[in-house]
Amino acid sequence: MTTHLRLKAYGKINLALDVLRKREDGYHDVRMVMQTVGIYDQVELQVKSAPGITVETNLPYLPVNENNLVYQAASLLMQEFSVGKGLHIKLRKFLPVAAGMAGGSSDAAAVLFGVNKMFQLGLSKEELMKRGVKIGADVPYCILRGTALSEGIGEKLTPLPPMPQCQLVIAKPGISVSTRYVYENLHANQLKPDQHPDIDGMIEAIRSQDLRLVAEKLGNVLELVTAEKYPVIQQIKEVMRNNGGLNALMSGSGPTVFGIFADPEGAQKAYEDLRYGQSSKLAKQVYLTNFYHVG
């Protein structure tokens, strides 16, 4: 039995995000193209002889009990398989929190993977994904990773060819966005046809490995709510485009914005502008990275 593991919990962005309808159960049916990026949290797992789950983090405002998704993920598998030993989880957060990048879901996915491996539970990736949706709609994708079409509430996943490699600038403004507020104010059943992003066009652009067409097809229907309430999102997008970005988009329900760059020099300029330059007041966290390809 493995007693110690260090894992990387990669963040995601939405290359395209559409909300089709509100369901009777209160959830929304979505259709999204998801993409893993090269920035990540670090998750360290250590088996303890005493039973129970303990959690520590580098951010004092994060819960270290059953309210943290990493605790829930460990508890889910350890209870199901009657694991007698305990587990200590050390979580170092680098991904923006509550920012549309599935940081918490990715942390939970890493713990599911790690607990399965450490205690030799024998679950396949698909079996982990089925359990992961009980924790959150993004958790199955965070187990799969890579480029994928996500449907249903996010749990129906179809792998896509990997994105053509390029530079990404990712910036999170110093605001918090309530996902519930965004969905409640979207009024998905009243959207006009031209307000929906072209998901099929995005998939075709990825299949053809046409980066410029991918950039052209970027779209997120949730921007209708979030960007209207927080003008800083549009301002960050303009900084990225003005520095040579092919296009820029908000990820998830926001407020994180990413820009796609074919030119590394342009990406560096946008990064420096948002991190140190005249636009530095717009963003609290800025990253220069690329797409993460599975395998």
Side-chain angles (χ1 to χ4, degrees), residues 4 55 66 137 150 183 261:
H4 183 250
V55 177
E66 62 274 6
S150 173
Y183 274 94
F261 293 78

Side-chain angles (χ1 to χ4, degrees), residues 159-170:
L160 296 171
M163 275 286 295
Q165 199 54 275
C166 66
Q167 293 289 300
L168 297 173
V169 177
I170 298 174

Side-chain angles (χ1 to χ4, degrees), residues 12-14 17 19 32 98-102 138 175-184 186 220-227 229-230 233 250-257:
K12 65 83 183 168
I13 56 175
N14 299 93
L17 191 162
V19 179
M32 309 180 288
M101 293 190 69
D138 283 340
I175 57 175
S176 297
V177 173
S178 164
T179 299
R180 173 175 290 184
Y181 169 86
V182 174
Y183 274 94
E184 286 179 349
L186 179 63
N220 182 349
V221 74
L222 298 182
E223 277 193 355
L224 294 170
V225 178
T226 312
K229 184 175 177 63
Y230 300 104
I233 291 169
M250 183 185 80
S251 183
S253 57
T256 298
V257 174

